[in-house]
Amino acid sequence: IRDVAVTGVQTCALPILILVGTLGTYFLSKIIVKNRNIALLAASMYCFIPAFFSNAQHYGVVRAGALLPWLLYFLTPQVTVKNKFAIVIGSIIIFQTVVGSYPGNLVSIIYTCLIYVFYYLFSENENKFLYFKNIFFMSIAGLLMGSLRYLPVLKIGRAHV
């Protein structure tokens, strides 16, 4: 009965996760494209990505798909440099991504975010140092919080008998 209850809660949470990912796509698209209609179209199309429906039984895959737009949003220089709360909120989103995503998705998310950050580091001319500093602190804070999930795997602090 316990497994059925957990599955029921996860099933009820899926539409909320899809909504969260859709809102993240809207805000990210609005910053990049600067057109409200195209941002709305991108968010509407994002609702139907395969990660949400073909992998609905894998909660970590759906969560990774929902958090990716928010990660990219907080890795955007217009948000990271200008918003004083971006480092705190971004590190919490990194933490949630590390803790709640399937490890295979986590690897692809890391590569995607690295490409995204390198693009802005090599294309933007102003505030590169401030942008890098904010991204660095946000990433370190989020990864340190999320490392709690992987400490048992690393066997840190255990005596070998």
Side-chain angles (χ1 to χ4, degrees), residues 33-81:
V33 180
K34 295 178 176 64
N35 185 330
R36 186 175 157 202
N37 292 333
I38 294 176
L40 189 59
L41 177 66
S44 299
M45 291 170 49
Y46 191 78
C47 284
F48 301 104
I49 64 169
F52 291 149
F53 298 104
S54 65
N55 287 312
Q57 72 272 23
H58 303 293
Y59 196 67
V61 174
V62 175
R63 184 181 296 172
L67 290 175
L68 180 60
W70 286 107
L71 274 173
L72 296 177
Y73 177 78
F74 283 103
L75 292 175
T76 305
Q78 293 91 336
V79 176
T80 305
V81 173

Side-chain angles (χ1 to χ4, degrees), residues 6-160:
V6 170
T7 305
V9 170
Q10 288 177 347
T11 303
C12 292
L14 285 176
I16 296 170
L17 280 175
I18 293 171
L19 177 66
V20 166
T22 302
L23 289 174
T25 303
Y26 175 76
F27 289 120
L28 177 65
S29 299
K30 197 171 175 187
I31 283 180
I32 293 174
V33 180
K34 295 178 176 64
N35 185 330
R36 186 175 157 202
N37 292 333
I38 294 176
L40 189 59
L41 177 66
S44 299
M45 291 170 49
Y46 191 78
C47 284
F48 301 104
I49 64 169
F52 291 149
F53 298 104
S54 65
N55 287 312
Q57 72 272 23
H58 303 293
Y59 196 67
V61 174
V62 175
R63 184 181 296 172
L67 290 175
L68 180 60
W70 286 107
L71 274 173
L72 296 177
Y73 177 78
F74 283 103
L75 292 175
T76 305
Q78 293 91 336
V79 176
T80 305
V81 173
K82 295 179 182 173
N83 188 345
K84 61 182 176 180
F85 296 110
I87 296 174
V88 174
I89 298 170
S91 62
I92 291 170
I93 291 178
I94 291 172
F95 159 66
Q96 284 296 310
T97 303
V98 170
V99 169
S101 297
Y102 182 72
N105 291 91
L106 192 57
V107 170
S108 64
I109 285 173
I110 290 171
Y111 285 137
T112 302
C113 290
L114 283 174
I115 291 169
Y116 192 75
V117 167
F118 283 138
Y119 169 76
Y120 279 113
L121 277 176
F122 292 118
S123 67
E124 296 286 320
N125 292 331
E126 56 187 58
N127 294 328
K128 277 187 185 182
F129 179 73
L130 180 61
Y131 173 65
F132 179 75
K133 182 186 71 143
N134 289 350
I135 293 299
F136 179 77
F137 286 127
M138 179 172 44
S139 300
I140 293 299
L143 290 173
L144 285 176
M145 288 188 290
S147 67
L148 294 174
R149 175 181 181 185
Y150 295 103
L151 285 179
V153 174
L154 299 174
K155 297 180 182 177
I156 294 175
R158 287 189 182 175
H160 297 289

